[in-house]
Amino acid sequence: MSYSVPTSHHLHPGYGHELTRDWQTVNTKFDKSTFVYPIFVVDEDGQKNEIKSMPEQYQWSVDRLDELLEPLVKKGLKSVILFGVITKKERKDGNATWADHEQGPVVRAIKKIRATYPQVFVSCDVCLCQFTNHGHCGVFGKAEGADLDNAASVQRLAEVAGNYALAGAHMVAPSDMMDGRIGAIKNRLREIGKLRECPVMAYSAKFASCMYGPFRDAAHSTPGFGDRRSYQLPVGANGLAVRALLRDAEEGADFIMVKPGGPYLDIIKEARDRLHVPISVYQVSGEYAMIWHAAAAGAFDLKRAVYESITCLRRAGADIIISYYTPKLLDWLDE
């Protein structure tokens, strides 16, 4: 028995030509300005250290950043986000002193990049985990056995964010997930006269994901005890994610973030539908590694897989994408 397709159900005419296919996907297009490249900066000079769990990614010392950045800037790199890495254990303490130390990797890297590559937009991750001797994202109370002190943590995070802004960061991006830190950071930026020139990108819907494993290798930020499930979001928590997104926007976040990316497309879509601020998405280290190793094993073509993953993030609503594939994307976008 034949079936007569109603005229309104004929979809093929709408994407039968290359140009009409482009018109159907205009909201998923991306270019070099879409991407932010994460850089791990270490506290000792003369370093280019392979990150074994992240193929073709390295820790860099400030004095060797030109080796990384000069060719990428020539290819059109627009933006980076900096993560400090402390290699000397004696520099880690309970107050994350080296997070914003004048001789610390982040402050030095900000000044180096701003002076050498003024066209590059410099963002700084704001967290304490890689700078503390316990590996958690905040400050603990002083009493024996005390839990994280949210108020003290927020105060320290605001201080760090302010010092990054004073060093020249174009944007600060708190990733700690403490309650109220966006409002506190905004207040601190106002106090130091940086509110207008230094926006805040909030890691708002950051889930307690297993996909951060390679990052923790790279940043030396694995918790010394316990885990981060009491302050990062449960992986199935749709409602909490929406509340966190709305809260950070209400506190003044100029940009919000969903992290990880691919497994949380529904949360990106929720953010797109509910908020009127640009949405960033972090395609995290585990996502990078999974795509890389699957392609290396012959499961699919690397470029096609990366493009598909980026297209899906854009389709869900991402405006800005933080990705370790940025160097490859700079090349592929020129092909």
Side-chain angles (χ1 to χ4, degrees), residues 19-174:
L19 181 58
T20 58
R21 285 193 290 275
D22 281 347
W23 288 346
Q24 294 285 2
T25 60
V26 66
N27 66 319
T28 67
K29 299 297 182 184
F30 50 86
D31 58 27
K32 295 177 182 181
S33 66
T34 306
F35 300 101
V36 181
Y37 186 41
I39 301 177
F40 299 99
V41 189
V42 298
D43 56 340
E44 290 295 300
D45 285 343
Q47 303 298 308
K48 179 187 176 183
N49 305 322
E50 179 185 6
I51 303 168
K52 293 183 178 180
S53 54
M54 297 175 67
E56 294 192 2
Q57 302 299 313
Y58 301 88
Q59 299 168 333
W60 294 88
S61 55
V62 175
D63 66 314
R64 295 189 65 175
L65 280 175
D66 287 330
E67 297 174 43
L68 171 67
L69 289 175
E70 187 173 351
L72 294 181
V73 171
K74 287 180 179 178
K75 293 176 183 179
L77 178 68
K78 304 295 184 184
S79 179
V80 299
I81 184 167
L82 302 178
F83 296 88
V85 181
I86 301 300
T87 59
K88 290 191 172 183
K89 289 185 178 180
E90 62 269 22
R91 290 176 172 170
K92 295 191 175 192
D93 59 27
N95 202 46
T97 300
W98 272 72
D100 53 351
H101 194 285
E102 191 69 19
Q103 294 303 312
V106 179
V107 171
R108 289 180 61 210
I110 295 167
K111 294 179 177 180
K112 162 70 177 177
I113 297 170
R114 287 298 310 269
T116 311
Y117 306 100
Q119 69 272 51
V120 174
F121 189 87
V122 180
S123 302
C124 292
D125 177 82
V126 178
C127 198
L128 306 184
C129 56
Q130 63 265 49
F131 304 102
T132 60
N133 52 13
H134 47 70
H136 281 278
C137 301
V139 176
F140 279 86
K142 295 180 180 180
E144 185 176 350
D147 202 349
L148 282 173
D149 184 328
N150 191 86
S153 300
V154 166
Q155 182 179 352
R156 180 67 180 120
L157 289 159
E159 183 178 41
V160 171
N163 286 333
Y164 289 167
L166 289 170
H170 289 106
M171 183 164 70
V172 291

